[in-house]
Structure formats: structure tokens, C-alpha cells
Amino acid sequence: MSEAPTLNMADFDPQDLALEDIDVSQRSIWIHDKKMSFFERLRNEAPVHYCKDSEYGPYWSVTRYKDIMEIDCNWQDFSSEPAITIVEPEEDFPLPMFIAMDPPVHDEQRKTVQGSVAPANLKLMEETIRSRTQQVLDDLPIREQFDWVDRVSIELTTQMLATLFDFPFEDRRKLTRWSDVATGDEESGIVESEEARQAKLYECLEYFTRLWHEREEQGERNDLVSMLAQGEATKNMTPQEYLGNLILLIVGGNDTTRNSMTGGVWALNQNPGEYAKLRNNPGVIPNMVSEIIRWQTPLAHMRRIANKDYVLDGQTIKAGDKVIMWYLSGNRDERSIDRPNEFIIDRDKARQHLSFGFGVHRCMGNRLAEMQLRILWEEVQKRFHMIEVIGEPKLVPSNFVHGYTEMQVVLHSH
Amino acid sequence: MDNLVPGIDADCGGECSCATCHVMVNADWTGIVGEPNEAEDSMLDLNPERATNSRLSCQMTVSDNLDGLIVDLPEFQF
């Protein structure tokens, strides 16, 4: 970082800053929810934008839908190694995981676990997911304020994860904690220090190593731990690589769907006309699910490193440069999406959004996520006239996980 | 894709980058349709339900000699 005092982005209107001074990674604009106006300026005036200095060092921001797609699909020129978020990995604590590897190793490891959330397997899970969703919703109080994030979003996604790992059900909130710790840091208030973070992740590794040993000899089972312990491409992983891939699967299945479960309620509250549409036509739910996932964009970015000099929109990205694809911005790009700032549950081509990424790293749990959200809304609509949000939800202070730590609601029955 | 065939989602809009337009080409047609290209092959490869006659429909160029083409859809899209 430079010696010069850093401008606090949140104190400015983005139009009042020189383009070269804009740093969209800066936490202040995420905490104060001002990032969208900064992204709009970059999309219009500097769609491939270089920030020469930030908390994370220099980086390029790519903010338009089509440009993001071009990079996401080009793994040959843009590497996912050694990490896929803007934060540099800790040198003494590397966490190798297949999302942060390039082909061919990526493909081999991914194929080992892909089957667990592939569509054929989902059909077998649908009834379990539905009955659990019913149970969670039936236990909620009516006309009494509670936190939707904790009681519904976290509970449902954590139960799902426990099932995928065949993880001891009574310990399932450990998964939630490990997920939060994995993407958190001191400044986010989630952990006290980097040491505390690593200690917590070792606890995760220790717990899962026990499960690994139990299952490596148990014959074929279709939980993720057994798949990793028995898969040709993964059975000889180092403990650190096992931990890395666990974190990937835990965060991938947890922080994402959780925040879409909350974000959908928030979006409908801000758009009463859309809520009315939903009440009149529950058949719109599958389309609405895609729109919620676009509108929320639960992971705001992914990062790549250029393998060679590459020209995009007239800018030359140099070999070795860090490139951030801001999915959250691409999903608001008026060049590719009609009225992108509006939440429209019966939108045309709602499936065409960036939230799952594109190319070989595309989200492998996309169909599971859509199914969980579809079932949630089908069951919600059977039970409640409205989920009323009280006040404003609290945001996760992160430029990666775009979500909520708390959202108070009151339920109204039909 | 533009005709919105149910079961062919094509989330990426035809860019060979989501594998949601997966089809299985009828045996009588595989020779005419041909093999997947390299990028298509790597996307198909991620799908556990890939078969020897799998193609991504967005990567097949429509022409007169494909008139009458028969494909099967997978039970679920990727």
C-alpha cells in the first residue's frame, strides 16, 4: 500500500472522483451500500478499469456483462490460480481447492464430486428438502418479530450441507461457523485475528478428517466426504488440499443460497407490485428464483490472473495482472439486461445472468440452489400472505459475499 | 434456443459456456451432426450425464442437411 492517505470512497459521489482514484473493492462502499453507483460509473466510462493501489494491491475491474463473460470463458488466458477472490492467499496457509485450479487438475477433482449435486441426484433429494422446509416454516411464529436469516436462511442451507456431507446433524451449526470464518477476517468482525481464523479452520479439518477415516473403507456412498476419500483424483490429497476443497464446498453451498433466501424476501418487500404478482400466480416461482439470484448476486466477484498480455475494450491487461470480474455489476449492465435495476419476477430470459459464472468453473450446485429456492417459495406461498421486513437488513461487510447478517421480519398468515 | 424449446435452457445465450442446452443426437444423425468442438467437449465433460452422442445444441450450426434432425433431451439439464 502507498504512503498517501487513502480516500474514503463512501464519502464521495462517484462522479466527483477522478476515475483513477476509484477503488470499488474498498470496504466502506460495501458497508454503506454505495457500490452500485460506483459500478455504474465504471460501466459507463471505464468498463475495464485499473486501480493502481488498494488494500489488495493493484487490480483491474471488469464491470460489463459481455466482458465478464469473455474472461470467465477463457481459462487458457486467465488463470484461476492460486485463489478466486481479490484477497491474496496467506503464504503460510495456502488452501488449494479445485475452483482455484486450472484444467486439467480442476476437471479431475470437480468430476469426483459433481455427481452429488447433479440433476439426477437432486430428484432423490427433493422430498427431503421439501419436508424439512415445511418443518422449518411450520415452527415459525406468526405476528411476532424474528430474524429470517437465522431461523430460515441459515437453518435451511445448513441442513442441506449436513445432508450432502452426511455430517452429524446435531453439530450442523459448526458448518455455518466454518463457512463464515472461511470468508471472514478481522475487519469484518467475524474473527479476532488471522491466527484465530486458522485455528478455527484446523478445527474443521480435524473434524472432517475423522469422517474421512470412517468412510474411506466403507464402500460406495454418495456423500461428499466419501466421494473425496474414495475418488481416484482426490484420495491422495494433502490435508491442506482436503481443507481447501471442504471450504469450497461449504462456502459454495452455504453463503450463496443463504443470501438468496434472504434477498428474495427483501426484494419483494421493496417491490410490492411484484409481491402481488407472486400471490396471483405462484406458477411464476421458477422464473422468480432466477430473478432473485440475479438481483442478489450472492457472490459479488471472482478473480483471475492474466497468463499473457490481453487487450479488452482498448485496455491492455498485462501478463500477471489481477483481474476482478464484478458479477454484481455485470448483472446490472443495461447493455445486456433490460431494466437491470428493477426486480421483475416474470422477466424474459431471467436465466441469463452471471451469478453462477460461465465456463469450466460455472457453479456446479446451480440446479440444487434453484431447487432449494423454488421449494422454499412454494411452501412460503402456501402458508403466508406476507413476510414483512421490519427496518432494513444488516449487510455482510464484504466485497465478496454479498449478503445479510440479519433481517427482522413479521409473518402474516392468509 | 430462440424458439424457447422447453428443456433447452441455454443460460449463456449460445456461448458454449453453461452446458444447459445439452442434447443427445439420434444414432441416424450422429454422422451428419459431427463431433463436439474442443471448447464444447470440455463443457460437456463436466456433466456426469454425458453420453457418446452428447452435443451442446448451441454449437450445432443449423443448415438444410439437418432438416428433420432428431435429438433426445436429457431428463434434467445440467
Side-chain angles (χ1 to χ4, degrees):
Chain A
M1 290 177 70
S2 73
E3 301 291 316
T6 312
L7 292 171
N8 187 358
M9 296 288 126
D11 292 341
F12 292 88
D13 184 306
Q15 299 300 336
D16 297 338
L17 286 164
L19 275 171
E20 61 172 35
D21 288 334
I22 290 181
D23 172 11
V24 284
S25 76
Q26 204 182 83
R27 212 179 291 256
S28 65
I29 61 169
W30 296 82
I31 292 170
H32 299 287
D33 200 12
K34 289 188 157 187
K35 68 267 181 187
M36 293 303 191
S37 57
F38 282 83
F39 282 131
E40 186 179 4
R41 174 140 193 240
L42 291 193
R43 281 197 306 275
N44 288 337
E45 296 178 41
V48 179
H49 171 265
Y50 190 66
C51 173
K52 62 182 184 304
D53 186 29
S54 80
E55 184 185 345
Y56 317 99
Y59 69 94
W60 291 91
S61 283
V62 180
T63 47
R64 286 185 184 171
Y65 188 102
K66 285 196 168 148
D67 291 338
I68 291 170
M69 192 135 176
E70 179 175 333
I71 291 178
D72 221 358
C73 293
N74 186 349
W75 59 264
Q76 290 90 343
D77 294 334
F78 292 94
S79 173
S80 292
E81 298 179 5
I84 47 82
T85 73
I86 194 168
V87 184
E88 289 308 310
E90 297 285 328
E91 276 179 27
D92 60 343
F93 193 71
L95 280 175
M97 52 180 82
F98 67 81
I99 196 176
M101 291 175 185
D102 297 325
V105 180
H106 159 270
D107 299 19
E108 291 159 9
Q109 293 199 359
R110 173 169 167 149
K111 270 190 254 176
T112 305
V113 290
Q114 171 85 61
S116 71
V117 289
N121 211 30
L122 297 186
K123 200 178 173 186
L124 307 173
M125 288 192 261
E126 177 156 1
E127 281 318 302
T128 309
I129 295 173
R130 187 174 300 278
S131 64
R132 285 192 186 153
T133 305
Q134 291 166 339
Q135 187 66 54
V136 165
L137 296 178
D138 286 341
D139 287 346
L140 297 173
I142 304 288
R143 294 192 168 278
E144 187 184 306
Q145 192 170 317
F146 67 92
D147 178 13
W148 180 265
V149 172
D150 183 56
R151 294 282 301 266
V152 181
S153 309
I154 290 180
E155 188 54 29
L156 285 176
T157 46
T158 304
Q159 287 189 10
M160 190 68 243
L161 265 186
T163 302
L164 291 172
F165 283 111
D166 195 9
F167 189 88
F169 214 61
E170 64 283 6
D171 279 348
R172 64 186 182 276
R173 286 279 171 143
K174 286 183 188 292
L175 295 167
T176 321
R177 178 70 183 143
W178 294 328
S179 180
D180 291 343
V181 166
T183 56
D185 58 17
E186 292 160 63
E187 282 182 70
S188 68
I190 288 166
V191 283
E192 287 165 18
S193 63
E194 179 56 26
E195 292 71 36
R197 192 180 86 96
Q198 294 182 12
K200 202 76 198 160
L201 294 180
Y202 275 127
E203 178 194 298
C204 168
L205 176 60
E206 201 180 325
Y207 197 112
F208 270 100
T209 301
R210 215 165 56 234
L211 299 181
W212 172 291
H213 289 313
E214 282 168 22
R215 293 180 196 172
E216 63 187 338
E217 306 295 342
Q218 277 187 1
E220 196 175 323
R221 296 159 47 122
N222 62 1
D223 67 273
L224 287 166
V225 176
S226 298
M227 285 173 160
L228 289 170
Q230 297 176 13
E232 276 308 314
T234 48
K235 66 183 186 188
N236 295 320
M237 286 189 294
T238 62
Q240 206 71 21
E241 206 174 352
Y242 182 38
L243 178 59
N245 280 312
L246 287 169
I247 298 299
L248 166 62
L249 296 167
I250 293 171
V251 173
N254 190 49
D255 267 330
T256 51
T257 310
R258 178 207 295 188
N259 290 314
S260 293
M261 285 180 171
T262 308
V265 176
W266 180 222
L268 284 168
N269 268 260
Q270 292 171 293
N271 297 275
E274 298 304 299
Y275 213 148
K277 269 190 209 168
L278 169 64
R279 278 186 209 107
N280 294 331
N281 176 21
V284 77
I285 287 173
N287 205 76
M288 178 179 84
V289 163
S290 291
E291 176 67 347
I292 288 172
I293 295 169
R294 178 193 74 89
W295 188 87
Q296 183 58 36
T297 319
L299 295 181
H301 76 260
M302 285 282 159
R303 149 271 199 50
R304 299 288 184 261
I305 300 288
N307 283 333
K308 61 167 201 185
D309 291 3
Y310 191 95
V311 178
L312 185 64
D313 279 342
Q315 301 292 316
T316 303
I317 297 168
K318 294 278 187 195
D321 284 357
K322 189 193 303 200
V323 180
I324 305 300
M325 302 177 286
W326 294 103
Y327 291 160
L328 183 62
S329 171
N331 275 339
R332 294 290 188 279
D333 183 359
E334 40 289 284
R335 290 154 199 83
S336 297
I337 296 172
D338 186 36
R339 293 185 287 160
N341 293 313
E342 294 176 40
F343 177 74
I344 305 170
I345 64 173
D346 51 356
R347 168 186 289 287
D348 281 344
K349 296 184 181 170
R351 301 193 58 85
Q352 296 188 13
H353 60 71
L354 289 168
S355 302
F356 294 131
F358 284 115
V360 296
H361 293 286
R362 182 173 166 84
C363 174
M364 72 174 202
N366 63 339
R367 298 287 172 175
L368 175 59
E370 288 172 353
M371 186 167 89
Q372 288 174 275
L373 286 160
R374 172 175 59 79
I375 292 172
L376 173 62
W377 281 102
E378 285 167 357
E379 297 301 325
V380 160
Q381 287 312 102
K382 283 179 203 162
R383 286 166 178 73
F384 312 120
H385 178 72
M386 186 180 183
I387 307 164
E388 183 193 357
V389 176
I390 306 297
E392 294 207 355
K394 293 196 176 115
L395 302 177
V396 177
S398 164
N399 56 31
F400 178 62
V401 175
H402 184 229
Y404 312 90
T405 56
E406 184 185 331
M407 185 173 75
Q408 294 293 324
V409 301
V410 171
L411 297 178
H412 302 275
S413 48
H414 285 298
Chain B
M1 240 178 322
D2 290 336
N3 292 316
L4 302 173
V5 177
I8 298 184
D9 291 327
D11 293 1
C12 71
E15 304 282 339
C16 191
S17 47
C18 68
T20 63
C21 64
H22 180 203
V23 297
M24 274 90 92
V25 178
N26 178 281
D28 293 343
W29 289 87
T30 47
I32 301 162
V33 167
E35 297 287 313
N37 63 50
E38 197 182 333
E40 183 184 349
D41 194 57
S42 61
M43 287 309 295
L44 278 168
D45 218 18
L46 299 173
N47 189 339
E49 290 169 65
R50 176 183 193 167
T52 49
N53 56 341
S54 287
R55 290 290 313 262
L56 295 181
S57 53
C58 77
Q59 298 303 298
M60 293 158 48
T61 310
V62 178
S63 61
D64 287 344
N65 61 2
L66 291 188
D67 191 19
L69 173 69
I70 299 168
V71 297
D72 289 324
L73 294 181
E75 188 177 0
F76 309 98
Q77 276 298 350
F78 187 57

